Amino acid sequence: MTGFAFELAVAASPLLNRAYTIVTPPDAAVGPGTPLEHYLRLAAFLVLVLLTGFTFQEATRRRTRCLEGERVATTIAGGLSLLVVGGLLLNLFASGLTSFAWLRFLFAALLVTGLISFVRRASNASPMPRRPRGKKHLRPLDLAFFGVALLLVVGGFWVDGRSVVQTGSDRFLQLWVLPEGGKSQSVLRIGVGNLEAKPVTLMVRAELMHSTLNTWGPLDLAPREQWQTKFDVAGRAGRIRVEIFRPGTADGPLRTVSYTLGRP
Amino acid sequence: MSESQAPSASDQSRALTLGWLPPLTLTASVGVLTVAAAFAASRHGESLAMGLWWTGLVVVYAPVLLRQLQPGVTRLERLALAVLLGVALLLVKVLYMPFQLQFSDEFYFWRSAMDILQHHHLFVHNVSLQVKPVYPALQEATAAVASLSGLSVTHAGLVVIDVLRPVYVVALYLFYEQVSGSTRLAGIASTLYMANPNFLVFDSLYVYEAFALPFAVLALYLAARWLTSEGATGRLPGVFFWVVALTVVVAHHVTSYFLVAYLAVWTIVAFQQRRSGHQARPPLRTTLTLLVLILAWILFIAPGTLSYFNGPFNFVATRLAGEATGKLKVVHGFVRPQGPLAQTILDLGANAAIVLILLGTFGFVWTRMARWVGMRVALVASLGYLGVLALRLVPDGAELAGRSMPFIYLPLSLALAAGLLANRARVGRTVVRTLLPFGAGMLIIVGGLASGFPASWARLPGPYLPASWERSDNLQSAQAAAWVGSHFPGDQYLLTDQGNMPYMAAYGGELPTDTASWIMFVPTLTTELQRALAIHRIKLIVVDMRMSDGLSQRGFYYYSTEPQAYVRRQPLNRELLTKFEKADFLDRVYDSGDIIIYTVRGRNP
């Protein structure tokens, strides 16, 4: 659950969000919605899985005394085990492992195991022995310890996240060229991506045999912004060279790509 | 020794107090904060980072071990301390790589989960994923979380692994308590187990072993409870056990073998116990049923598992045979942990302490725990550690030894815990009686950390290092792979280095191969090389120019038998990397500064 809490913290904290944006992997969210909606749906899903896990262990385990901590472990593990077994079952159907199929399976499992555990409880003359209950002695000082500990852990994440933001030095520009539609030799698609931490202004130049065919720009690109264009090269042959450079400077090209026209 | 049997009603009031848990939570959080400072310092290139890392971890472990060693601690407190330690160590891993996957294997599981999401079916074949798709439990759970929450596969996967941490730690404690009948032994053993070299990072990663282990430990607890409880009936454990055991079988090959092997040892020891006149129930039917389940899975679903294991075992066997016949000269002898000498000394010291405690107290514990069959099983199984140590002496056996640690530590930790308390009972003076087990326990803990995963050069986060696993993590490679994934059809063979390989397999959706990597070490491109690219069906070449700026910490850039592998003292010559510029059958289609991607034209020269 620490991971889940941390994910929530990422969604809530501007600093962590910024760090997240810098180092986030390029895999997009699977479903629609904002990050907060994803986490809310995740919370609902976890409740469903845990509820199913709880009824499953109640329905199938022997009626012996449950030790402290045992039910927590068997509930989480039971829920996840059912997911795994459910996946194997759903795989047998043509529709496979879709979100709707998962939901149907989980609700069906909850219904069946819930009914069985209810019947077992109702029919059992000697109910499952309960572990001894008593008052937990939580003093104000204990709460203070836990509170300070929580603050220190949050502080740890702040220190960590800050260092990620400050040293996330992976700043770069992308340039690419590819034939439009994969194999067409008459149109090229040229793209530029800005993964610097700041806005950049760039010029794009296309050359063939050292003569300029076209230039684009100046292009103002915000961080994480891309620019793409189609370039008609019908009837031309030879190696076309595309480069980006900063306008108004004598510096050489920042990035260079090339594509040979007129060859298979 | 067994000062606190499973809780009785008489001490329930005392059993519900938290004892030293609140202040120890505070010390653990100080340790976590110190480790966070170590990571920040490392990212900024500060030299004190490693010292902070060690300090932080000692501050996390030491107070918990000290408290667990004390008598008179309540069961609730011991269990809560075990959970506290497990969660604090998980936080350390989260701080290392807070937002993303980092270890190379994690990307392959990402790809496998993505395949399930895209195809809506399991077992999607992918040559670069080897046997991972046929052990799909982790990926199934990830796909379920991702599809129902909408989260990315990365975050869904991290949630799945993190949610399992409490299960892992609680199951460990319950298992130890059940087989030893002592809450004190359970507390100490849980703490020592969490010092196994793979616990801190590897078994918190998004990999199938990390998913399977908590279920395996829980299955062992359920089996132990069934076998050792008075009044338990039936020839097989209940449905719940079998669903958990099936999850292990579907999740990870080695973990399922470990589970069945442990039950087999239990069966043998239980038969021996019965011959000696003790009460014991051998789980013969359970062991055989589980074995059939595992074999059926291999036979019908995962036949590739056999050839998958053939590789590393054959490699070690060939090396051994080569040495025995004198045809092969040893290149790597005893593989000490890379890094400072102090870490090597700690590793050796810890191993010496483990062997001394294990062998020195074996007879005493064996006799004292005559009635506890589970304890005797742990003692017998823990002798396997000697075999693991021997494996480290075998050329190239160190990796196999390292991978076996989470399994062998399960019985070993209990044997060591019993050994520590046995020693304590024998030594007279109070101070020594307290300090000796604590000192020995801490030596085992720091030794485990010193020899632990990842290697010392990757223990702390920091700037990019070429072809060096965790330290090769970088956004530029990830974005290049994402660009490949969005502009090319998938499943094309691609030539790239070890650092970019997992990214290209996952986000790129391509098939990185090292079959033609030798091309990288040829100074000029010729028509023969062009022909080789065609024969190996290479469609893309990804060149990371950073390989000419730094050495690979793994010892090689492309493949383990490449020229100058492990002995290279200079980075790759830049001309080897720029030779592709002149080839007229290649197009330089992507440039992000450090990463250049070429497409290969035509089929034959």
Side-chain angles (χ1 to χ4, degrees):
Chain A
M1 296 308 288
T2 49
F4 176 54
F6 182 65
E7 297 286 337
L8 273 177
V10 168
S13 152
L15 172 74
L16 289 177
N17 240 322
R18 203 172 144 222
Y20 181 90
T21 312
I22 285 178
V23 298
T24 187
D27 62 330
V30 169
T34 63
L36 189 60
E37 287 168 346
H38 293 156
Y39 293 120
L40 289 174
R41 284 206 291 269
L42 173 66
F45 172 72
L46 287 178
V47 168
L48 178 60
V49 170
L50 294 182
L51 203 57
T52 313
F54 179 77
T55 53
F56 174 53
Q57 59 99 29
E58 285 287 300
T60 55
R61 295 202 57 210
R62 287 192 162 81
R63 313 291 288 174
T64 50
R65 199 177 109 193
C66 209
L67 298 172
E68 197 126 37
E70 187 177 355
R71 195 164 276 148
V72 174
T74 51
T75 295
I76 299 173
L80 286 171
S81 283
L82 276 183
L83 270 187
V84 173
V85 175
L88 295 176
L89 288 175
L90 295 176
N91 191 54
L92 299 174
F93 296 97
S95 56
L97 291 78
T98 61
S99 12
F100 187 56
W102 280 118
L103 274 181
R104 269 190 309 187
F105 171 79
L106 279 172
F107 276 113
L110 179 61
L111 188 70
V112 171
T113 54
L115 274 175
I116 293 172
S117 57
F118 177 77
V119 170
R120 283 188 79 190
R121 277 195 176 206
S123 63
N124 203 329
S126 55
M128 185 188 285
R130 291 180 177 277
R131 61 182 164 78
R133 292 198 177 277
K135 193 179 173 187
K136 290 184 173 60
H137 305 287
L138 203 59
R139 299 164 300 168
L141 187 62
D142 295 340
L143 287 175
F145 276 125
F146 287 134
V148 176
L150 185 65
L151 282 178
L152 289 179
V153 170
V154 171
F157 277 102
W158 186 81
V159 168
D160 194 59
R162 206 170 148 215
S163 73
V164 171
V165 172
Q166 288 172 343
T167 60
S169 55
D170 240 4
R171 316 275 198 254
F172 56 95
L173 297 167
Q174 297 171 304
L175 171 66
W176 67 88
V177 61
L178 281 172
E180 177 69 5
K183 290 183 177 174
S184 165
Q185 294 272 313
S186 58
V187 179
L188 294 179
R189 179 173 288 275
I190 298 169
V192 180
N194 174 24
L195 283 121
E196 300 273 359
K198 57 185 188 298
V200 293
T201 302
L202 298 168
M203 295 288 291
V204 181
R205 178 168 54 216
E207 292 177 351
L208 184 64
M209 309 287 281
H210 300 293
S211 69
T212 302
L213 294 178
N214 203 357
T215 57
W216 295 268
L219 311 171
D220 295 316
L221 294 178
R224 297 227 158 211
E225 190 180 356
Q226 282 191 356
W227 170 88
Q228 290 192 59
T229 189
K230 289 179 187 172
F231 182 38
D232 191 345
V233 288
R236 297 184 189 275
R239 179 170 283 203
I240 192 164
R241 182 183 159 94
V242 182
E243 54 194 32
I244 53 175
F245 56 96
R246 294 191 198 282
T249 64
D251 298 342
L254 298 166
R255 303 282 182 267
T256 307
V257 290
S258 62
Y259 191 82
T260 305
L261 301 167
R263 286 191 60 177
Chain B
M1 184 185 301
S2 53
E3 58 123 52
S4 7
Q5 301 290 322
S8 63
S10 62
D11 62 349
Q12 61 173 287
S13 171
R14 195 171 61 87
L16 293 170
T17 60
L18 295 174
W20 278 79
L21 177 70
L24 293 189
T25 307
L26 185 62
T27 58
S29 65
V30 170
V32 170
L33 179 64
T34 310
V35 172
F39 289 162
S42 179
R43 289 190 186 101
H44 286 287
E46 303 283 348
S47 58
L48 50 77
M50 190 59 88
L52 280 174
W53 184 83
W54 276 107
T55 307
L57 285 174
V58 168
V59 169
V60 171
Y61 276 105
V64 173
L65 177 66
L66 193 59
R67 184 64 178 156
Q68 295 281 23
L69 280 165
Q70 288 177 343
V73 178
T74 66
R75 180 182 187 275
L76 176 66
E77 186 184 343
R78 290 197 192 278
L79 177 61
L81 285 175
V83 174
L84 170 69
L85 184 59
V87 171
L89 296 176
L90 177 66
L91 289 177
V92 169
K93 176 259 175 185
V94 171
L95 285 166
Y96 186 106
M97 38 184 123
F99 314 106
Q100 62 201 88
L101 309 177
Q102 200 141 359
F103 177 61
S104 58
D105 264 13
E106 293 184 297
F107 292 93
Y108 296 105
F109 289 102
W110 182 95
R111 171 78 189 269
S112 183
M114 196 54 116
D115 283 345
I116 293 174
L117 279 168
Q118 286 170 347
H119 298 272
H120 301 305
H121 280 284
L122 305 176
F123 316 126
V124 179
H125 178 70
N126 186 318
V127 69
S128 65
L129 303 183
Q130 297 175 313
V131 296
K132 294 171 182 74
V134 289
Y135 290 93
L138 168 64
Q139 303 92 304
E140 276 179 61
T142 307
V145 173
S147 63
L148 287 171
S149 69
L151 282 172
S152 70
V153 170
T154 299
H155 294 118
L158 293 176
V159 166
V160 168
I161 290 295
D162 291 354
V163 160
L164 270 174
R165 176 51 65 97
V167 177
Y168 196 1
V169 181
V170 171
L172 266 177
Y173 180 89
L174 292 172
F175 171 69
Y176 289 138
E177 184 184 62
Q178 189 67 36
V179 298
S180 69
S182 162
T183 56
R184 190 174 176 197
L185 277 182
I188 300 166
S190 306
T191 308
L192 293 179
Y193 180 84
M194 285 185 252
N196 91 60
N198 282 8
F199 189 87
L200 181 63
V201 176
F202 191 84
D203 287 331
S204 309
L205 294 175
Y206 181 63
V207 293
Y208 48 10
E209 182 181 303
F211 184 84
L213 266 170
F215 289 99
V217 179
L218 184 65
L220 279 176
Y221 162 66
L222 294 168
R225 184 147 196 210
W226 170 68
L227 290 164
T228 56
S229 296
E230 286 176 18
T233 54
R235 291 180 171 178
L236 289 171
V239 174
F240 194 84
F241 168 85
W242 286 110
V243 171
V244 172
L246 177 65
T247 305
V248 178
V249 174
V250 177
H252 186 225
H253 34 70
V254 173
T255 309
S256 64
Y257 308 156
F258 162 74
L259 182 58
V260 79
Y262 202 93
L263 289 172
V265 174
W266 192 302
T267 306
I268 294 165
V269 174
F271 274 122
Q272 191 272 336
Q273 286 281 93
R274 283 220 300 217
R275 276 203 202 114
S276 314
H278 295 292
Q279 276 197 334
R281 300 175 63 197
L284 182 61
R285 285 169 196 270
T286 308
T287 308
L288 291 176
T289 311
L290 185 60
L291 186 63
V292 168
L293 202 58
I294 292 169
L295 291 175
W297 189 264
I298 293 175
L299 197 62
F300 297 111
I301 307 289
T305 313
L306 298 174
S307 55
Y308 175 72
F309 283 116
N310 206 16
F313 283 111
N314 248 351
F315 190 61
V316 173
T318 310
R319 295 294 297 266
L320 276 175
E323 269 181 61
T325 54
K327 290 178 183 171
L328 204 64
K329 204 178 168 186
V330 179
V331 177
H332 311 289
F334 177 77
V335 181
R336 67 172 184 83
Q338 294 176 358
L341 183 64
Q343 292 188 28
T344 308
I345 293 169
L346 285 175
D347 178 34
L348 293 173
N351 280 314
I354 289 172
V355 173
L356 276 176
I357 295 168
L358 188 61
L359 299 182
T361 61
F362 191 94
F364 177 76
V365 177
W366 182 267
T367 311
R368 284 286 296 266
M369 304 296 279
R371 286 191 308 114
W372 297 89
V373 61
M375 193 70 204
R376 284 193 157 187
V377 173
L379 280 172
V380 171
S382 64
L383 292 177
Y385 187 74
L386 303 176
V388 171
L389 280 186
L391 202 56
R392 288 182 68 175
L393 298 169
V394 172
D396 301 306
E399 185 170 351
L400 281 179
R403 295 297 293 270
S404 63
M405 288 299 182
F407 306 106
I408 197 65
Y409 254 73
L410 190 73
L412 180 68
S413 301
L414 190 56
L416 290 175
L420 286 179
L421 292 191
N423 246 0
R424 194 183 161 98
R426 285 169 164 185
V427 181
R429 295 179 63 132
T430 312
V431 176
V432 179
R433 281 174 59 192
T434 307
L435 286 183
L436 197 64
F438 176 69
M442 282 310 296
L443 180 59
I444 292 167
I445 288 170
V446 294
L449 292 172
S451 62
F453 177 93
S456 59
W457 45 263
R459 197 161 282 160
L460 299 169
Y464 174 87
L465 295 173
S468 302
W469 276 337
E470 298 74 26
R471 288 291 298 272
S472 295
D473 165 66
N474 69 106
L475 187 59
Q476 198 169 168
S477 294
Q479 290 294 343
W483 179 83
V484 167
S486 59
H487 289 87
F488 293 92
D491 296 337
Q492 297 190 116
Y493 285 101
L494 171 151
L495 183 59
T496 190
D497 62 282
Q498 291 284 325
N500 285 286
M501 206 175 257
Y503 289 106
M504 288 296 163
Y507 303 146
E510 306 296 353
L511 304 174
T513 174
D514 58 9
T515 51
S517 296
W518 54 270
I519 289 172
M520 296 306 302
F521 298 91
V522 177
T524 52
L525 283 180
T526 61
T527 46
E528 279 71 29
L529 296 186
Q530 186 184 2
R531 196 185 303 275
L533 286 172
I535 288 168
H536 291 288
R537 294 183 286 164
I538 306 288
K539 292 293 180 191
L540 293 162
I541 300 173
V542 179
V543 178
D544 195 327
M545 301 305 290
R546 290 171 289 189
M547 287 187 290
S548 64
D549 298 332
L551 284 166
S552 163
Q553 298 298 308
R554 289 184 66 187
F556 57 92
Y557 294 99
Y558 286 87
Y559 56 105
S560 59
T561 50
E562 73 186 26
Q564 290 191 287
Y566 300 110
V567 294
R568 182 181 290 280
R569 293 287 172 265
Q570 296 291 325
L572 274 188
N573 189 334
R574 199 168 180 85
E575 282 159 16
L576 288 177
L577 304 176
T578 55
K579 63 176 180 260
F580 301 106
E581 299 293 328
K582 298 159 195 161
D584 61 355
F585 57 93
L586 299 176
D587 287 313
R588 177 180 162 129
V589 293
Y590 176 93
D591 178 359
S592 64
D594 293 322
I595 296 179
I596 315 293
I597 298 177
Y598 300 90
T599 52
V600 182
R601 278 175 176 267
R603 292 185 177 182
N604 284 304

